Amino acid sequence: MFSKVLIANRGEIACRIIRACHELGVHATAVYSQADRESLHVQMADEAICVGAATNTDSYLNMPNVLMATVISGADAVHPGYGYFSERENFADALQALGVTFIGPPVEAIARMGDKASARAAAVAAECPVVPGSAGILAHEEEGLIIAEQLGYPVLIKASAGGGGKGIRRANNADEFPGLMRMAMQEADASFGSGDVYLEKVIENPRHVEVQIMADEHGNCVYLGERECSVQNLRHQKMVEEAPFALLCEETRREMGAAAVRLASAVGYVNAGTIEFLMDADGNYYFIEMNTRLQVEHPVTEQTTRIDIVQTMIKVASGEKLPFAQSDIQTRGHSIEARITAEDATKNFAPSCGVVTTWKPPQADHVRMESHVYEGFAITPFYDPMIAKMIITGDSRRQAIELLASALDEFQVEGIKTNIPFLKRLVASEEFVSGDVHTGTVPQIMKKWNGD
Ligand code: ADP
Ligand code: ADP
Ligand code: MG
């Protein structure tokens, strides 16, 4: 086991990883920006190193500084969390050169699966169904037009390096295609440092279903069940996630799990990863991408499998064998996560900053809170607006929903505006309660919410 792990992240996920380190008896080093001096992850860590000014590019995305902090701390491993360097192969590569373990997959697996177009090719090779689309990156506009015509409109133009819902454009016809493709390429270049785009046919009103996998370096790979994440905003960002997907039949569950394991094994995957699928109204499922990292919504899987994914990641990275086999994985109950953001639900979800004067999350056995916020903490405009995750676990989906509704009612936050009012409305909606949701459901509810 490692003696010291550096956490190259901030916010709730840095706190979550520090806790896992401590539970394993491992020292935790935090990094922080000048704006995050007072952050909870800095207080929780055994030591903390400032890596730069407030903006992400100056600090958390400043690779020389984060690598320098790693060397100074003497950490023998780095956990990247999600976002930031978690899917950057050059970061994992640089750590390897320094003799420091990257707590995540091998560099080759990030390279292969982190790029969406090449991940699609790997999925096809592993006989995992993919959304109909282009065979790879589009060489030019003309090629895009030809393939779009073959697929049939509407099509999605997707950034191969995209993530976090960014870099996706929908083209409804050939007239708007060229302009949208140019825009998508520029946007992808600006956001991800690569203008590569590919095409996928639009699956109308799909469900987003993803499979959590975990593999060790001794050839073992298992799936830890699925998560349903169709509750997404207009920008394809997940808002509420749950496990299991209550409407999935046992046969399809096993099939999807097997497909995910087959694909992960085919690319030599090690550590935690998520294979994302879209499911159409007829129950057909299609691979869309793999996230080669810890996922925001991992807690719902932890709650239902009673497996600590973050601890397991650290153990596997240190060379240990997976402590469970597929036959040991059983899920119990139903867990739902709601992402709480510092966004004003009454003002079109505009970011909200300021000092949190009241922070009283509900306290009960069925409530798990993951957050870096406390009373007196200042929310700054520099980072992702997610300030907490509320994870509710019940015996059944129905019970979990009831408990979630009352937990949202109980949660008191003052000083900043949040999306809680919208979450309450969502959780009470007929669509959500019945489970009859798809990725277009929230945008529909939002339209009504905004009164247009
Ligand atoms: P998950 O896939 O775990 O549900 P999200 O897609 O919501 O998570 O992304 C988690 C975080 O990581 C978000 O803050 C998002 O902005 C960021 N993120 C994910 N992928 C990328 C990427 N390729 N580039 C930049 N940020 C990313
Ligand atoms: P990201 O890397 O940003 O998470 P994904 O490829 O996982 O991008 O897609 C994010 C979301 O965008 C999906 O969950 C889904 O809502 C929507 N989406 C992506 N591809 C398609 C598609 N081919 N048809 C319909 N919706 C899609
Ligand atoms: Mg995705």
Side-chain angles (χ1 to χ4, degrees), residues 132 273-274 324 346 364 386 395:
T274 297
F324 41 75
T346 62
M386 192 177 77
D395 295 332

Side-chain angles (χ1 to χ4, degrees), residues 215-220 312 315-316 318-324:
D216 66 20
E217 53 189 52
H218 308 281
N220 305 300
T312 310
K315 287 182 186 167
V316 162
S318 77
E320 288 184 28
K321 274 193 179 159
L322 277 186
F324 41 75

Side-chain angles (χ1 to χ4, degrees), residues 87 116 120 131-132 155-156 158-159 161-168 170 192 198-209 229-230 232-233 235-238 276-278 288-291 293 295 438-440:
E87 295 183 273
K116 290 184 178 186
R120 269 173 64 86
V131 181
V155 297
L156 286 186
K158 297 175 76 171
K166 293 188 204 94
I168 301 178
R170 178 184 168 123
F192 312 112
Y198 65 103
L199 290 188
E200 268 180 13
K201 193 168 170 52
V202 168
I203 309 286
E204 294 289 358
N205 295 335
R207 283 184 178 267
H208 176 115
V209 185
C229 317
S230 303
Q232 304 178 354
N233 68 16
R235 284 169 288 148
H236 306 293
Q237 290 167 329
K238 296 165 186 164
E276 296 190 333
F277 296 96
L278 292 183
I288 46 169
E289 68 154 342
M290 178 169 197
N291 291 321
R293 57 171 165 88
Q295 201 102 354
H438 51 73
T439 59

Side-chain angles (χ1 to χ4, degrees), residues 103-255:
I103 303 179
V107 177
E108 303 73 39
I110 303 178
R112 186 96 182 269
M113 303 309 280
D115 178 83
K116 290 184 178 186
S118 87
R120 269 173 64 86
V124 172
E127 290 178 20
C128 182
V130 299
V131 181
S134 60
I137 308 293
L138 301 178
H140 40 66
E141 232 165 84
E142 291 69 34
E143 189 193 8
L145 272 168
I146 293 167
I147 297 172
E149 207 65 56
Q150 286 165 356
L151 293 170
Y153 289 95
V155 297
L156 286 186
I157 306 164
K158 297 175 76 171
S160 200
K166 293 188 204 94
I168 301 178
R169 295 272 167 159
R170 178 184 168 123
N172 291 307
N173 53 58
D175 290 341
E176 63 183 30
F177 185 89
L180 285 168
M181 179 164 159
R182 274 195 298 276
M183 239 147 64
M185 289 176 70
Q186 276 162 15
E187 194 182 283
D189 193 36
S191 310
F192 312 112
S194 155
D196 288 349
V197 296
Y198 65 103
L199 290 188
E200 268 180 13
K201 193 168 170 52
V202 168
I203 309 286
E204 294 289 358
N205 295 335
R207 283 184 178 267
H208 176 115
V209 185
E210 57 186 37
V211 178
Q212 174 74 53
I213 62 113
M214 182 67 85
D216 66 20
E217 53 189 52
H218 308 281
N220 305 300
C221 182
V222 304
Y223 63 93
L224 305 180
E226 78 286 351
R227 295 183 286 259
E228 210 281 0
C229 317
S230 303
V231 175
Q232 304 178 354
N233 68 16
L234 259 177
R235 284 169 288 148
H236 306 293
Q237 290 167 329
K238 296 165 186 164
M239 198 176 268
V240 175
E241 304 99 335
E242 46 190 289
F245 172 19
L247 301 178
L248 196 62
C249 71
E250 207 44 56
E251 191 189 337
T252 312
R253 172 172 293 128
R254 269 200 301 273
E255 242 183 59

Side-chain angles (χ1 to χ4, degrees), residues 230-445:
S230 303
V231 175
Q232 304 178 354
N233 68 16
L234 259 177
R235 284 169 288 148
H236 306 293
Q237 290 167 329
K238 296 165 186 164
M239 198 176 268
V240 175
E241 304 99 335
E242 46 190 289
F245 172 19
L247 301 178
L248 196 62
C249 71
E250 207 44 56
E251 191 189 337
T252 312
R253 172 172 293 128
R254 269 200 301 273
E255 242 183 59
M256 293 177 80
V261 166
R262 199 162 61 237
L263 176 52
S265 303
V267 298
Y269 201 84
V270 177
N271 219 299
T274 297
I275 314 268
E276 296 190 333
F277 296 96
L278 292 183
M279 188 173 271
D280 67 18
D282 298 324
N284 301 305
Y285 58 89
Y286 310 91
F287 169 85
I288 46 169
E289 68 154 342
M290 178 169 197
N291 291 321
T292 57
R293 57 171 165 88
L294 180 65
Q295 201 102 354
V296 175
E297 57 274 24
H298 74 276
V300 294
T301 300
E302 293 188 324
Q303 292 303 118
T304 47
T305 59
R306 280 150 293 144
I307 287 171
D308 189 306
I309 294 175
V310 182
Q311 280 191 22
T312 310
M313 288 181 80
I314 300 170
K315 287 182 186 167
V316 162
S318 77
E320 288 184 28
K321 274 193 179 159
L322 277 186
F324 41 75
Q326 192 64 58
S327 55
D328 298 323
I329 313 297
Q330 263 157 24
T331 66
R332 193 173 67 192
H334 196 92
S335 189
I336 308 181
E337 169 183 282
R339 299 191 189 192
I340 314 284
T341 58
E343 293 174 315
D344 190 345
T346 62
K347 295 214 169 62
N348 220 3
F349 296 86
S352 173
C353 298
V355 174
V356 178
T357 50
T358 304
W359 183 260
K360 293 200 167 47
Q363 286 185 338
D365 284 349
H366 57 265
V367 181
R368 169 173 165 188
M369 291 294 301
E370 294 290 345
S371 177
H372 57 291
V373 174
Y374 53 85
E375 280 180 10
F377 180 74
I379 309 290
T380 59
F382 306 107
Y383 312 109
D384 192 274
M386 192 177 77
I387 51 170
K389 302 187 303 204
M390 182 191 266
I391 303 111
I392 305 292
T393 309
D395 295 332
S396 63
R397 183 169 192 271
R398 175 160 292 271
Q399 190 196 29
I401 291 173
E402 282 164 11
L403 294 171
L404 174 58
S406 57
L408 286 168
D409 274 341
E410 272 174 52
F411 196 178
Q412 292 175 45
V413 185
E414 279 163 32
I416 52 157
K417 299 288 185 204
T418 71
N419 66 340
I420 294 174
F422 181 77
L423 288 171
K424 286 188 197 169
R425 160 79 176 266
L426 173 76
V427 165
S429 71
E430 210 181 292
E431 294 93 325
F432 185 74
V433 172
S434 69
D436 187 16
V437 293
H438 51 73
T439 59
T441 302
V442 168
Q444 283 166 8
I445 296 176

